Amino acid sequence: TRIRPSSKRCAVIGGSGFLGRHLVERLLEKGYSVAVFDIAQRYEVPGVAFHQGDLCDKQALLKVLKDVSLVFHCASPSPACDDRNLFWKVNVEGTRTVIQACQEARVQKLVLTSSASVVFEGIDIKNGKEDLPYAKRPIDYYTETKIQQEKVVLEACSKENDFLTVAIRPHGIFGPRDPLLVPILVDTARKGKMKFIIGDGTNLVDFTYVDNVVHGHILAAEHLKPDSPLCGKAYHITNDEPIRF
Ligand code: NAD
């Protein structure tokens, strides 16, 4: 018989990123032992085992995932890169590899960072719920692959195989060390390019504070059990109120 690793042994794939690093820091505070797997190392934290590797490489993943019971997958090429092949390779094929590695290493839970854009058809959504269908015409390549990625992860959920999955769907994330959202807004404003309004000024955009996104991930992980309704489901995560632009 195999002795199960402690449920507090986890790995964060994409742990060098904006969200991933906040997640790592919170997990450490909560007493988890954390391994980071990422193509780049951008910081050092005492007590965190860092592994540099590509999530498309199953052997590299397997080295990290043995003795891990919980995996957070929050790695993705930047939405700004617009490289369709790279999105497919990492977000879809790579995520399949992550699932295979998790199953071979007998990881019990996988929490995916998906995106609220998987249900966005270019038309305003207010109080949208998780029963909205996937977008038929995703707004870009990134979103097209986030849809496929989420499907692959949720379909892999299997109580019989002792492998449970859940997906969390944030929209824009803001908070300390955000590399994209606020810096781009400030830069655009400095260049004098914020003088125009698209629409009538009542467009809604959903932004969530990074700590809330992290909280949602950890809650999902801790409540993901064979008899819980979370199994194989996706959840939107947001602040209380949308921000009016
Ligand atoms: P980020 O770019 O800061 O972090 C992503 C990390 O993934 C980086 O550290 C990068 O090195 C790593 N990575 C990329 N390709 C990899 C590969 N092949 N193998 C291993 N690691 C790889 O992005 P983020 O903002 O922290 O986003 C994290 C997750 O949240 C992503 O899945 C993204 O789709 C999702 N998301 C982000 C936002 C947002 O507003 N930031 C909104 C919705 C969803």
Side-chain angles (χ1 to χ4, degrees):
T1 54
R2 181 176 182 276
I3 298 165
R4 284 183 162 212
S6 151
S7 60
K8 288 221 148 180
R9 290 184 73 106
C10 68
V12 180
I13 302 175
S16 291
F18 166 50
L19 174 64
R21 182 171 173 184
H22 281 278
L23 185 56
V24 167
E25 290 169 350
R26 184 74 190 115
L27 287 164
L28 289 173
E29 281 167 16
K30 286 182 64 89
Y32 283 80
S33 87
V34 185
V36 167
F37 184 94
D38 200 297
I39 35 168
Q41 177 169 13
R42 299 199 187 83
Y43 64 95
E44 270 180 55
V45 174
V48 173
F50 188 91
H51 304 267
Q52 194 162 356
D54 190 322
L55 63 82
C56 302
D57 178 353
K58 192 168 81 178
Q59 295 310 320
L61 283 167
L62 281 172
K63 282 188 202 136
V64 181
L65 299 188
K66 67 173 172 19
D67 299 331
V68 161
S69 68
L70 165 63
V71 170
F72 295 93
H73 175 4
C74 53
S76 170
S78 166
C81 82
D82 207 36
D83 179 340
R84 190 179 193 201
N85 289 338
L86 183 66
F87 285 135
W88 270 96
K89 183 172 158 280
V90 177
N91 286 350
V92 185
E93 301 304 333
T95 296
R96 285 204 183 100
T97 306
V98 168
I99 292 168
Q100 283 166 10
C102 283
Q103 290 170 334
E104 278 180 38
R106 295 191 177 262
V107 167
Q108 285 140 40
K109 301 183 194 183
L110 173 63
V111 180
L112 172 72
T113 314
S114 180
S115 169
S117 61
V118 299
V119 296
F120 184 59
E121 292 272 16
I123 297 160
D124 286 352
I125 298 173
K126 208 171 171 183
N127 299 324
K129 299 270 181 331
E130 288 79 1
D131 57 5
L132 286 166
Y134 287 115
K136 287 196 194 68
R137 286 175 305 276
I139 48 169
D140 52 21
Y141 296 142
Y142 163 78
T143 308
E144 182 185 337
T145 59
K146 291 299 281 185
I147 293 174
Q148 294 310 319
Q149 175 189 53
E150 190 187 277
K151 285 184 181 170
V152 164
V153 167
L154 298 182
E155 280 164 12
C157 187
S158 163
K159 293 169 204 182
E160 294 72 35
N161 296 336
D162 199 14
F163 182 59
L164 305 181
T165 64
V166 64
I168 298 296
R169 295 174 177 170
H171 189 245
I173 308 173
F174 67 96
R177 301 191 299 253
D178 151 35
L180 286 176
L181 186 70
V182 173
I184 289 172
L185 279 179
V186 170
D187 190 49
T188 313
R190 285 216 173 104
K191 287 180 181 149
K193 291 184 181 166
M194 295 274 268
K195 292 182 223 152
F196 310 100
I197 292 177
I198 297 170
D200 61 4
T202 58
N203 295 325
L204 298 176
V205 181
D206 184 45
F207 291 119
T208 308
Y209 187 61
V210 66
D211 286 358
N212 291 337
V213 180
V214 165
H215 184 55
H217 280 67
I218 296 176
L219 276 182
E222 292 183 344
H223 289 265
L224 187 58
K225 305 210 169 94
D227 53 354
S228 82
L230 277 75
C231 293
K233 298 270 172 57
Y235 290 87
H236 293 158
I237 183 95
T238 183
N239 296 323
D240 275 355
E241 291 289 329
I243 295 171
R244 193 169 284 279
F245 260 67

